[in-house]
Amino acid sequence: MNPAEWLALLAELPRQAPFSEGDRGAADFTAALIAGRLGPAPERPSTRPDTGFEAILTYIRNHYTDPGLNVNAIAKACNDSPSYVSHAFSRRMKRNLRTYVNQLRLILAKRLLQSGSSVARTAMVCGYTDVNYFAAVFRRTVGVAPSRYARNAAKAEKI
């Protein structure tokens, strides 16, 4: 059905019963939409202020070494839904939550390994409960195993 046919059909709708006032308003809106008389939809203001996102970020930065840190824990602490936390984070930070937390943890891990901390201790302090998982994440992100990274840092320090 082309727009002219839609308009003709809507014009034939009775102005009274069986339609309620709300139905008539919906029909008028639809007719205006089809006729092209409505411009683009106005920008919807954000339903949540940026302070909500700032609270999420602050919580993550203060708790990134907590092994139990996940989207549910963050949502509960910030009085938001897990869905909101996940979507807001991805939209604002252009990466997912897990990636960001791992990045923070790996920055700390590099510092600890450079200062002579063992791989197992570094994993634990950074919030990883499994040393093998820590090593895999470290290797995948940094490009070398954490033990090799520590040895290279120790060699560089002696020079």
Side-chain angles (χ1 to χ4, degrees):
M1 203 178 262
N2 67 37
E5 292 170 325
W6 274 107
L7 288 173
L9 178 65
L10 289 170
E12 292 175 18
L13 291 176
R15 291 273 175 201
Q16 300 190 8
F19 294 103
S20 70
E21 192 59 38
D23 292 336
R24 173 71 356 227
D28 290 343
F29 174 80
T30 304
L33 185 64
I34 292 169
R37 292 191 304 249
L38 296 178
E43 281 278 326
R44 281 185 3 178
S46 174
T47 57
R48 298 194 184 252
D50 276 354
T51 55
F53 181 75
E54 293 303 321
I56 292 168
L57 241 137
T58 300
Y59 185 83
I60 293 168
R61 289 179 180 156
N62 290 334
H63 295 90
Y64 71 94
T65 59
D66 178 3
L69 183 67
N70 60 38
V71 71
N72 292 327
I74 297 165
K76 185 175 181 180
C78 296
N79 294 319
D80 283 312
S81 72
S83 177
Y84 170 75
V85 170
S86 180
H87 286 90
F89 193 88
S90 296
R91 188 173 53 251
R92 288 284 302 271
M93 300 298 285
K94 307 294 187 233
R95 68 189 88 163
N96 70 39
L97 186 61
R98 176 60 41 208
T99 299
Y100 181 74
V101 169
N102 280 335
Q103 287 173 338
L104 291 176
R105 289 176 173 177
L106 292 177
I107 289 168
L108 177 60
K110 287 178 184 179
R111 289 183 192 149
L112 291 170
L113 292 169
Q114 289 169 349
S115 68
S117 181
S118 72
V119 173
R121 174 128 177 87
T122 298
M124 185 185 74
V125 169
C126 291
Y128 293 95
T129 56
D130 182 349
V131 176
N132 293 322
Y133 177 70
F134 164 71
V137 170
F138 192 96
R139 189 178 309 109
R140 183 175 55 241
T141 306
V142 180
V144 297
S147 56
R148 176 167 283 179
Y149 184 88
R151 279 194 305 270
N152 291 345
K155 285 180 188 176
E157 192 174 282
K158 289 181 182 178
I159 296 177

